[in-house]
Every structure is written in C-alpha cells, then in structure tokens.
Amino acid sequence: MCNFTVIENGTELKMRNTAYALVFGSVTTLGLPLNALSLWILLRRHSLKSSNAVFMVNLAISDLLLVISLPMRVYFYATGTWPLSPLACIWITMLFRNNIRSSSIFITFICVDRLLAVVYPLRSRHVRTSSNAWKSAALVWLFVLVVNVKESVDLSRFLNSYNQSTCFQSHCRSPLMYFQPVLVFIMLAVNVVCTALVSWTLHSHLSDSARVNNKVNVMLIFVMNLIMFTVFFLPLSLAVLFESWKPALTALICLASVNCCLDPLLYYFSFDGFWRRNEDMDISVTRQQLNTVQTE
C-alpha cells in the first residue's frame, strides 16, 4: 500500500516556483532542437548497423520524450495550476521518470559497448551487432513500461483523492520507489568498472604514440558518463531515499532534466571523431592480432 505525502505550495514559494519554471523552460528551449537535430542526423547520415549508433538513437528518443513533457511543468510552476486531466499528469510524470531510467541504461550500454570494442575487439564482434542492440533496446523500453503500470496506478489513486492542482507537488512513497535508486546505483557501478578496465587496457597495451592520439578521446566518453550519473542521476535518487532531502526534491528534478541537453553534446558531437577513430582502432587491433596468429 502506498503512503502519500504532498509538498505544499504556499505563497512563500512563488519565487522558487518561478525559478523552476525558468529552468524547465530553458531546458525545453535548448533540449528540443539539440535532440531533434541529433536524432535526424543519426538516422540520416550515420548507419544504424553499429550497436553504438543504435544506443545513441534510443538515447536521443528518450531525451525527446522528456523534453516534450516539460512545457506543462513550466505552466504548472508559473501559474500554480494544472489545466489538464489527472491522466495527463500521470503520462507526463511517467515520461520524466522513464528518462532517468532509460537514459541511465542506454548510457551504460554505450559504455559497455566501448569496453568490449577496446578490451575484447575480436571476441566481441559477434555480440556488438545492430540486431543485438535493437533487441536490447526493445527489452529496455518494455521493462520501463512494465514498471510504469504499478506507478501509474499509485499516482492515479492519489490524484483521485486530492485536488489535481497538486500534480507535480505530490510524492508517493511506496516499495517501488526504491527501484530507481537501485537501478542508478547498479548502472553507476557498471560504468565505474568499465572506466577502470578501459583505462588499464589503454595504459598497458597501446603504444606511446597511440596513447597520445587516442587515449584522451577514448577516456573522455567514460568520464562524461560518470559525470552524468554523479551530477544528474545520483542526487535525485538519493533524494527519493531520504525523507530529509524531500524539500530539495523539485530542485533536483530540475537538475536531472538538464541531462537531456548534454547528451547530444557528449555523444553525438563525439561520434564523428571518437567513434570513427575508435572503430578504426578496432580494425587495426584486429589485423595485428590476426597477423600474430598467422605468424605463429
């Protein structure tokens, strides 16, 4: 059974709510064109035959779904009223929660894909296929939708019991609330391990010239992954766990929404340089290993 608590919206919070509206509005203004352009270029100019491209496309879709839900948050915090139905509130709330979950998973998939490409370039080629990537992405979306069912039921009960103007001021504490923090912690741990393994591999096996030319580019994506988790995903997950953090919950939601503006910059704009060079490095490593086998 879900116990509900409500964050009251008094007149003393008017300036704070205005700040929330400005943040969500800025994220919408910046995030919509960035993610739409990134998705268009990925689909039109880059082949979806590589696993990393597939994960990037799904990451862009996740961010776009978040962005299209933000204008109603802007309206809510600017006016203090909710003009739509409770069902619309549920849908918009789920879009935000889905972004945190799906983005953390797709970012981790990209991280694991790069780990396999750098550490196991030969043995991982039959795993790092677009077919497997699309299957993985489909499972992620199915998983996220299944989780939505329980949460939507809980939120619907709350909205039917209280005035619907409390849409984004509600906080439902239920056993399922621990799902998101656990997911984020697991994904963060995977990213930390992948970063350590790739760093060790690059330091141990690349020549000095290769290390100078490629190591910074290769490690940048892993460092940015960790920043994404620790700055945007982790604080909100901790706020869900600890009651004392509840007053800062909306501010942390604002912070978490900014991740959709950085994903295109961190991943798409690294695509032309980092991904191509990394794939070329995979081919070079493969040829070297094949030559070694033939020589033996």
Side-chain angles (χ1 to χ4, degrees):
M1 187 66 180
C2 181
N3 296 320
F4 299 102
T5 60
V6 179
I7 303 174
E8 297 294 339
N9 183 20
T11 56
E12 70 277 4
L13 298 179
K14 186 175 181 179
M15 291 184 61
R16 187 180 302 176
N17 287 340
T18 301
Y20 296 153
L22 289 174
V23 171
F24 286 129
S26 300
V27 171
T28 303
T29 302
L30 184 61
L32 182 59
L34 279 177
N35 284 283
L37 179 63
S38 297
L39 182 60
W40 183 82
I41 295 177
L42 283 169
L43 293 174
R44 184 175 178 84
R45 298 187 58 186
H46 294 280
S47 172
L48 294 183
K49 294 180 180 180
S50 65
S51 56
N52 49 27
V54 172
F55 294 139
M56 283 186 178
V57 165
N58 282 274
L59 182 59
I61 292 174
S62 175
D63 289 336
L64 275 175
L65 291 175
L66 170 65
V67 170
I68 63 176
S69 73
L70 294 182
M72 289 312 304
R73 287 184 180 267
V74 175
Y75 181 90
F76 176 82
Y77 287 108
T79 65
T81 61
W82 178 252
L84 303 180
S85 66
L87 182 61
C89 175
I90 294 173
W91 276 98
I92 292 176
T93 301
M94 290 303 107
L95 285 176
F96 178 84
R97 295 181 183 180
N98 288 346
N99 174 260
I100 299 295
R101 295 158 186 172
S102 59
S103 292
S104 64
I105 296 175
F106 287 130
I107 288 173
T108 303
F109 280 176
I110 293 171
C111 185
V112 172
D113 181 84
R114 292 298 88 197
L115 166 71
L116 295 175
V118 173
V119 181
Y120 307 106
L122 279 177
R123 286 180 286 177
S124 66
R125 285 189 174 274
H126 68 284
V127 176
R128 296 171 46 243
T129 63
S130 61
S131 176
N132 288 337
W134 281 116
K135 291 176 183 177
S136 300
L139 288 176
V140 170
W141 290 116
L142 179 61
F143 176 68
V144 167
L145 289 175
V146 170
V147 174
N148 284 170
V149 174
K150 170 61 176 172
E151 288 189 323
S152 297
V153 171
D154 291 339
L155 187 56
S156 177
R157 290 174 180 172
F158 172 78
L159 294 175
N160 289 332
S161 302
Y162 292 85
N163 189 298
Q164 67 182 36
S165 65
T166 61
C167 179
F168 296 127
Q169 299 288 2
S170 61
H171 179 53
C172 175
R173 302 187 64 84
S174 68
L176 195 59
M177 63 176 283
Y178 297 105
F179 165 74
Q180 180 171 310
V182 170
L183 175 66
V184 169
F185 292 148
I186 292 175
M187 296 298 102
L188 175 59
V190 173
N191 277 267
V192 170
V193 172
C194 290
T195 302
L197 288 175
V198 170
S199 178
W200 179 83
T201 300
L202 293 176
H203 181 75
S204 301
H205 299 292
L206 289 184
S207 64
D208 291 338
S209 59
R211 184 158 57 247
V212 171
N213 294 329
N214 294 317
K215 184 175 181 180
V216 173
N217 293 327
V218 173
M219 289 305 302
L220 178 62
I221 201 73
F222 291 92
V223 172
M224 293 304 180
N225 283 345
L226 295 178
I227 293 175
M228 191 71 67
F229 273 90
T230 55
V231 174
F232 300 110
F233 299 154
L234 190 59
L236 181 59
S237 300
L238 292 174
V240 172
L241 289 178
F242 300 109
E243 187 72 18
S244 59
W245 287 42
K246 189 171 65 174
L249 188 62
T250 305
L252 293 176
I253 289 175
C254 287
L255 177 63
S257 68
V258 178
N259 85 88
C260 71
C261 296
L262 296 184
D263 282 337
L265 300 177
L266 300 179
Y267 298 102
Y268 169 70
F269 291 111
S270 296
F271 197 97
D272 284 337
F274 166 74
W275 293 118
R276 185 184 302 136
R277 285 196 294 269
N278 208 50
E279 289 173 353
D280 292 342
M281 185 180 69
D282 293 347
I283 295 173
S284 177
V285 172
T286 300
R287 288 176 177 172
Q288 290 178 1
Q289 294 187 7
L290 288 175
N291 291 336
T292 301
V293 171
Q294 292 174 354
T295 303
E296 292 176 351

